[in-house]
Amino acid sequence: MLTVTGARRGASRRPAPSPEQHYHAYIMERIEDFKNSLPRSELLRIGDEAVAMLDSAADGQFGLTEMLVLGKVDELIRKRLRLPAFKRWLRDFIPRRAAQREPAHWGLEPAGPVACLLDRLEPEDLALLVGPATEGAALLLAAHDVQVVLVSDDMAAINRVETRAAGEALGGRLSTHLVRFGGRALDHALAPETIVHVALLDAAALAEAEQPARAAFVADLQARTVDGGVHVLLPGDGRLAPEAHLSLYLQAGWHREPGGGRRRGMAMQRGVSLLKPGD
């Protein structure tokens, strides 16, 4: 993640994945989704077909390895799905990804608090998103090659974002976890050594937890966040303003950043951005 100064000066970023890497990820995601949709008996049948084809081609000259069989299974599935060749896929990918990188594609304000983070994020940064109000942001960040982890206590919200991520070919950048906010809830979603670069929190979703549990959850997330990292508090469905959680940050020495969204018609897409010391 770039610092504020680095972003303003146009500092060099980690290289984004190449089109070939995106294509390979797309192919493997489609193959794995297909495997997961099959009953075990059908998957075993494809495996038997792969072994028979390899045996015939080798004519007994070498032993089959698990890697050879798995590769042949993937090849058979790819043909069954009629997945496009690289050049044809690329013609669709370039304009589609350009659209996905626009906040408006996900119903987000182009000058809102989420969009304002984009200049500071680098490919492979990790974003932790909390609650249903972050669904659009999760997909926007994934389109910018950020690794996104979305946690929610709302299964319907998780299903919605997973379905749309799959339809937009962004599932490889997004993982979801059903959690109850409080205590060490993030242990279900993150390895102990995982560093978070940016977090977006649905203030209304956090309000569902009792205050001690909510404070413990936020403190855990703050501890996992890299120095100079940013948390954005979003209003969600409006039941609780983001400012209601400010004390959890100011008491821990975090700094509130200026701004917070812009007016659109009669509504304000608001948010509170907070910076961890060390930037």
Side-chain angles (χ1 to χ4, degrees), residues 116-266:
C116 290
L117 288 173
L118 297 177
D119 286 342
R120 295 164 66 174
L121 289 168
E122 300 181 80
E124 308 303 329
D125 278 351
L126 189 141
L128 191 287
L129 280 68
V130 179
T134 65
E135 293 174 34
L139 296 161
L140 173 66
L141 297 182
H144 282 266
D145 299 308
V146 173
Q147 292 293 339
V148 178
V149 178
L150 186 146
V151 299
S152 180
D153 61 356
D154 184 341
M155 194 64 208
I158 287 177
N159 288 336
R160 283 195 304 270
V161 76
E162 286 181 345
T163 299
R164 192 161 188 196
E168 298 267 3
L170 293 171
R173 289 282 173 185
L174 175 71
S175 64
T176 59
H177 303 269
L178 184 68
V179 302
R180 291 290 181 189
F181 302 132
R184 304 294 300 182
L186 291 177
D187 289 346
H188 297 288
L190 301 174
E193 69 278 5
T194 300
I195 296 297
V196 174
H197 296 89
V198 62
L200 278 65
L201 296 90
D202 180 338
L206 288 177
E208 296 293 331
E210 296 291 334
Q211 198 283 330
R214 179 167 66 247
F217 177 85
V218 171
D220 186 22
L221 180 54
Q222 290 173 341
R224 294 171 184 264
T225 302
V226 67
D227 289 348
V230 178
H231 287 190
V232 179
L233 305 177
L234 299 171
D237 62 13
R239 284 175 294 159
L240 192 68
E243 288 81 1
H245 302 306
L246 265 181
S247 63
L248 299 175
Y249 286 87
L250 301 181
Q251 291 172 6
W254 288 55
H255 308 300
R256 182 172 183 173
E257 295 192 305
R262 121 179 170 189
R263 188 170 298 278
R264 181 177 58 188
M266 296 300 292

Side-chain angles (χ1 to χ4, degrees), residues 47-63:
D48 290 340
E49 182 181 348
V51 169
M53 294 178 70
L54 288 168
D55 269 336
S56 176
D59 197 22
Q61 294 183 33
F62 58 84

